[in-house]
Amino acid sequence: MNGREIENLIKLLSRLPGLGPRSARRAVLQMLKKPETLMIPLSHALEETANAMTNCGVCGNIDVVDPCHICADRNRTQDAICVVEEVQDLWALERAGAFKGQYHVLGGTLSPLDGVGPDDLRIDQLIERARDEAVTEVILATNATVDGQTTAHYITERLIETGVKVTRLAHGVPVGGELDYLDDGTLAAALRSRSAV
């Protein structure tokens, strides 16, 4: 129906979460209507970001600098590390604005059925960070799924040797829920009412 280039753009956009073929087609149509103000700046921004992005060597966040802006911020407290599964979970907590400490992105959850074990995640790096004298608390903010709970339990067992206080997000996070889909108020309430594991 359309040229190869347009169909390829629609196909690529439809791979994004929340965009199916119809939504992608509408987005492409909008870009085609305004190439100078929308499509060309978008293509430049995509290329620029792709060339500049990097993973933070400290927490695992995605940013354009290493260490990331969060880890480099001297105004953030150093005594607490909030552990999340993925970068989108970190970004969701940051949007809520309820946590002013450090983060640690695991890069997923333990999932024996999918062949994901402890060595596939950034758990050893977390244990090493927790040994720092400045760290007094590790907050487990894994999703309330079976894999998230399993991962939290495993990390809790590993953190015993460090002597840090281990807490977990509490009220507000529904069982089976994922952090990235929760509203900011729910995330803030869950972070404030966390409890010991």
Side-chain angles (χ1 to χ4, degrees), residues 55-56 59-63 84-95 105-108 180:
N55 284 88
C56 177
C59 74
N61 188 16
I62 297 173
D63 205 334
V84 295
E85 293 174 15
E86 300 286 356
V87 172
Q88 64 259 28
D89 302 324
L90 183 157
W91 290 4
L93 286 166
E94 275 299 286
R95 276 195 319 268
V105 180
L106 294 172
D180 193 39

mmCIF file of all heavy atoms in Angstrom, residues 55-56 59-63 84-95 105-108 180:
data_model
loop_
_atom_site.group_PDB
_atom_site.id
_atom_site.type_symbol
_atom_site.label_atom_id
_atom_site.label_comp_id
_atom_site.label_asym_id
_atom_site.label_seq_id
_atom_site.Cartn_x
_atom_site.Cartn_y
_atom_site.Cartn_z
ATOM 1 N N ASN A 55 25.302 2.596 29.864
ATOM 2 C CA ASN A 55 24.831 2.083 31.152
ATOM 3 C C ASN A 55 25.750 2.594 32.246
ATOM 4 O O ASN A 55 26.976 2.562 32.095
ATOM 5 C CB ASN A 55 24.812 0.562 31.161
ATOM 6 C CG ASN A 55 23.640 0.004 30.389
ATOM 7 O OD1 ASN A 55 23.722 -0.205 29.197
ATOM 8 N ND2 ASN A 55 22.537 -0.206 31.074
ATOM 9 N N CYS A 56 25.156 3.029 33.331
ATOM 10 C CA CYS A 56 25.926 3.505 34.477
ATOM 11 C C CYS A 56 26.688 2.324 35.073
ATOM 12 O O CYS A 56 26.100 1.281 35.365
ATOM 13 C CB CYS A 56 24.990 4.122 35.510
ATOM 14 S SG CYS A 56 25.828 4.663 37.012
ATOM 15 N N CYS A 59 25.131 1.928 39.074
ATOM 16 C CA CYS A 59 23.788 1.429 39.387
ATOM 17 C C CYS A 59 23.124 0.653 38.250
ATOM 18 O O CYS A 59 22.152 -0.058 38.476
ATOM 19 C CB CYS A 59 22.885 2.581 39.820
ATOM 20 S SG CYS A 59 22.357 3.671 38.476
ATOM 21 N N GLY A 60 23.593 0.812 37.016
ATOM 22 C CA GLY A 60 22.986 0.114 35.887
ATOM 23 C C GLY A 60 21.938 0.926 35.153
ATOM 24 O O GLY A 60 21.312 0.441 34.212
ATOM 25 N N ASN A 61 21.711 2.173 35.560
ATOM 26 C CA ASN A 61 20.760 3.052 34.886
ATOM 27 C C ASN A 61 21.248 3.342 33.460
ATOM 28 O O ASN A 61 22.420 3.178 33.150
ATOM 29 C CB ASN A 61 20.640 4.369 35.673
ATOM 30 C CG ASN A 61 19.539 5.277 35.178
ATOM 31 O OD1 ASN A 61 18.646 4.862 34.442
ATOM 32 N ND2 ASN A 61 19.603 6.530 35.586
ATOM 33 N N ILE A 62 20.335 3.759 32.591
ATOM 34 C CA ILE A 62 20.707 4.189 31.244
ATOM 35 C C ILE A 62 20.752 5.705 31.245
ATOM 36 O O ILE A 62 19.800 6.365 31.661
ATOM 37 C CB ILE A 62 19.702 3.687 30.185
ATOM 38 C CG1 ILE A 62 19.694 2.161 30.127
ATOM 39 C CG2 ILE A 62 20.037 4.266 28.814
ATOM 40 C CD1 ILE A 62 18.612 1.583 29.233
ATOM 41 N N ASP A 63 21.852 6.277 30.774
ATOM 42 C CA ASP A 63 22.025 7.722 30.735
ATOM 43 C C ASP A 63 23.014 8.037 29.619
ATOM 44 O O ASP A 63 23.433 7.139 28.884
ATOM 45 C CB ASP A 63 22.547 8.220 32.091
ATOM 46 C CG ASP A 63 22.190 9.671 32.372
ATOM 47 O OD1 ASP A 63 21.997 10.446 31.415
ATOM 48 O OD2 ASP A 63 22.125 10.045 33.557
ATOM 49 N N VAL A 84 15.865 -2.287 42.071
ATOM 50 C CA VAL A 84 14.760 -2.456 41.116
ATOM 51 C C VAL A 84 15.157 -3.487 40.066
ATOM 52 O O VAL A 84 16.336 -3.773 39.873
ATOM 53 C CB VAL A 84 14.373 -1.123 40.442
ATOM 54 C CG1 VAL A 84 13.822 -0.135 41.461
ATOM 55 C CG2 VAL A 84 15.552 -0.517 39.686
ATOM 56 N N GLU A 85 14.139 -4.015 39.377
ATOM 57 C CA GLU A 85 14.400 -5.020 38.351
ATOM 58 C C GLU A 85 14.983 -4.404 37.084
ATOM 59 O O GLU A 85 15.971 -4.881 36.551
ATOM 60 C CB GLU A 85 13.108 -5.763 38.002
ATOM 61 C CG GLU A 85 12.576 -6.614 39.125
ATOM 62 C CD GLU A 85 11.221 -7.225 38.802
ATOM 63 O OE1 GLU A 85 10.815 -7.225 37.612
ATOM 64 O OE2 GLU A 85 10.561 -7.709 39.734
ATOM 65 N N GLU A 86 14.331 -3.366 36.592
ATOM 66 C CA GLU A 86 14.693 -2.780 35.302
ATOM 67 C C GLU A 86 14.776 -1.266 35.399
ATOM 68 O O GLU A 86 14.274 -0.660 36.349
ATOM 69 C CB GLU A 86 13.652 -3.161 34.230
ATOM 70 C CG GLU A 86 13.500 -4.654 33.990
ATOM 71 C CD GLU A 86 14.653 -5.294 33.228
ATOM 72 O OE1 GLU A 86 15.577 -4.580 32.793
ATOM 73 O OE2 GLU A 86 14.634 -6.526 33.072
ATOM 74 N N VAL A 87 15.353 -0.650 34.381
ATOM 75 C CA VAL A 87 15.516 0.807 34.341
ATOM 76 C C VAL A 87 14.167 1.514 34.420
ATOM 77 O O VAL A 87 14.031 2.537 35.091
ATOM 78 C CB VAL A 87 16.301 1.233 33.077
ATOM 79 C CG1 VAL A 87 16.303 2.743 32.911
ATOM 80 C CG2 VAL A 87 17.730 0.712 33.137
ATOM 81 N N GLN A 88 13.117 0.974 33.762
ATOM 82 C CA GLN A 88 11.824 1.647 33.802
ATOM 83 C C GLN A 88 11.272 1.721 35.225
ATOM 84 O O GLN A 88 10.541 2.652 35.558
ATOM 85 C CB GLN A 88 10.797 1.015 32.857
ATOM 86 C CG GLN A 88 10.412 -0.409 33.178
ATOM 87 C CD GLN A 88 11.116 -1.398 32.285
ATOM 88 O OE1 GLN A 88 12.219 -1.151 31.803
ATOM 89 N NE2 GLN A 88 10.490 -2.536 32.047
ATOM 90 N N ASP A 89 11.645 0.770 36.088
ATOM 91 C CA ASP A 89 11.219 0.810 37.485
ATOM 92 C C ASP A 89 11.925 1.950 38.223
ATOM 93 O O ASP A 89 11.313 2.657 39.026
ATOM 94 C CB ASP A 89 11.496 -0.524 38.177
ATOM 95 C CG ASP A 89 10.806 -1.693 37.487
ATOM 96 O OD1 ASP A 89 9.672 -1.499 36.991
ATOM 97 O OD2 ASP A 89 11.390 -2.785 37.444
ATOM 98 N N LEU A 90 13.208 2.129 37.952
ATOM 99 C CA LEU A 90 13.968 3.238 38.526
ATOM 100 C C LEU A 90 13.329 4.561 38.106
ATOM 101 O O LEU A 90 13.089 5.443 38.932
ATOM 102 C CB LEU A 90 15.430 3.166 38.068
ATOM 103 C CG LEU A 90 16.414 4.199 38.609
ATOM 104 C CD1 LEU A 90 17.831 3.649 38.515
ATOM 105 C CD2 LEU A 90 16.339 5.522 37.885
ATOM 106 N N TRP A 91 13.034 4.703 36.814
ATOM 107 C CA TRP A 91 12.438 5.935 36.310
ATOM 108 C C TRP A 91 11.069 6.174 36.938
ATOM 109 O O TRP A 91 10.706 7.311 37.225
ATOM 110 C CB TRP A 91 12.350 5.899 34.796
ATOM 111 C CG TRP A 91 13.680 5.991 34.100
ATOM 112 C CD1 TRP A 91 14.922 6.026 34.686
ATOM 113 C CD2 TRP A 91 13.918 6.043 32.700
ATOM 114 N NE1 TRP A 91 15.907 6.091 33.723
ATOM 115 C CE2 TRP A 91 15.320 6.103 32.496
ATOM 116 C CE3 TRP A 91 13.081 6.023 31.588
ATOM 117 C CZ2 TRP A 91 15.898 6.170 31.234
ATOM 118 C CZ3 TRP A 91 13.660 6.085 30.324
ATOM 119 C CH2 TRP A 91 15.052 6.172 30.150
ATOM 120 N N ALA A 92 10.299 5.121 37.173
ATOM 121 C CA ALA A 92 8.979 5.265 37.795
ATOM 122 C C ALA A 92 9.128 5.797 39.224
ATOM 123 O O ALA A 92 8.384 6.695 39.644
ATOM 124 C CB ALA A 92 8.242 3.924 37.800
ATOM 125 N N LEU A 93 10.079 5.267 39.986
ATOM 126 C CA LEU A 93 10.308 5.739 41.346
ATOM 127 C C LEU A 93 10.809 7.177 41.355
ATOM 128 O O LEU A 93 10.425 7.978 42.215
ATOM 129 C CB LEU A 93 11.283 4.820 42.081
ATOM 130 C CG LEU A 93 10.707 3.474 42.498
ATOM 131 C CD1 LEU A 93 11.806 2.507 42.907
ATOM 132 C CD2 LEU A 93 9.704 3.646 43.625
ATOM 133 N N GLU A 94 11.649 7.523 40.404
ATOM 134 C CA GLU A 94 12.128 8.900 40.307
ATOM 135 C C GLU A 94 10.990 9.865 39.999
ATOM 136 O O GLU A 94 10.944 10.966 40.530
ATOM 137 C CB GLU A 94 13.218 9.026 39.231
ATOM 138 C CG GLU A 94 14.595 8.683 39.722
ATOM 139 C CD GLU A 94 15.070 9.595 40.848
ATOM 140 O OE1 GLU A 94 15.409 10.762 40.588
ATOM 141 O OE2 GLU A 94 15.098 9.129 42.000
ATOM 142 N N ARG A 95 10.057 9.449 39.132
ATOM 143 C CA ARG A 95 8.885 10.292 38.830
ATOM 144 C C ARG A 95 8.079 10.556 40.098
ATOM 145 O O ARG A 95 7.539 11.637 40.287
ATOM 146 C CB ARG A 95 7.967 9.620 37.801
ATOM 147 C CG ARG A 95 8.358 9.809 36.381
ATOM 148 C CD ARG A 95 7.225 9.439 35.420
ATOM 149 N NE ARG A 95 6.475 8.251 35.764
ATOM 150 C CZ ARG A 95 6.730 7.023 35.338
ATOM 151 N NH1 ARG A 95 7.748 6.796 34.536
ATOM 152 N NH2 ARG A 95 5.971 5.997 35.711
ATOM 153 N N VAL A 105 20.010 -1.349 39.624
ATOM 154 C CA VAL A 105 19.183 -2.041 38.634
ATOM 155 C C VAL A 105 19.735 -3.451 38.446
ATOM 156 O O VAL A 105 20.896 -3.621 38.067
ATOM 157 C CB VAL A 105 19.180 -1.286 37.279
ATOM 158 C CG1 VAL A 105 18.319 -2.020 36.265
ATOM 159 C CG2 VAL A 105 18.705 0.151 37.460
ATOM 160 N N LEU A 106 18.890 -4.447 38.714
ATOM 161 C CA LEU A 106 19.321 -5.844 38.605
ATOM 162 C C LEU A 106 19.461 -6.301 37.157
ATOM 163 O O LEU A 106 20.289 -7.139 36.836
ATOM 164 C CB LEU A 106 18.315 -6.761 39.317
ATOM 165 C CG LEU A 106 18.216 -6.612 40.823
ATOM 166 C CD1 LEU A 106 17.049 -7.434 41.352
ATOM 167 C CD2 LEU A 106 19.520 -7.032 41.480
ATOM 168 N N GLY A 107 18.606 -5.787 36.298
ATOM 169 C CA GLY A 107 18.613 -6.240 34.904
ATOM 170 C C GLY A 107 17.670 -7.404 34.668
ATOM 171 O O GLY A 107 17.818 -8.157 33.715
ATOM 172 N N GLY A 108 16.682 -7.570 35.553
ATOM 173 C CA GLY A 108 15.707 -8.649 35.411
ATOM 174 C C GLY A 108 15.430 -9.311 36.748
ATOM 175 O O GLY A 108 15.728 -8.754 37.809
ATOM 176 N N ASP A 180 6.242 0.134 36.842
ATOM 177 C CA ASP A 180 6.146 1.102 35.758
ATOM 178 C C ASP A 180 4.708 1.486 35.438
ATOM 179 O O ASP A 180 4.460 2.526 34.862
ATOM 180 C CB ASP A 180 6.840 0.553 34.496
ATOM 181 C CG ASP A 180 7.049 1.616 33.448
ATOM 182 O OD1 ASP A 180 7.389 2.760 33.819
ATOM 183 O OD2 ASP A 180 6.873 1.309 32.260
#
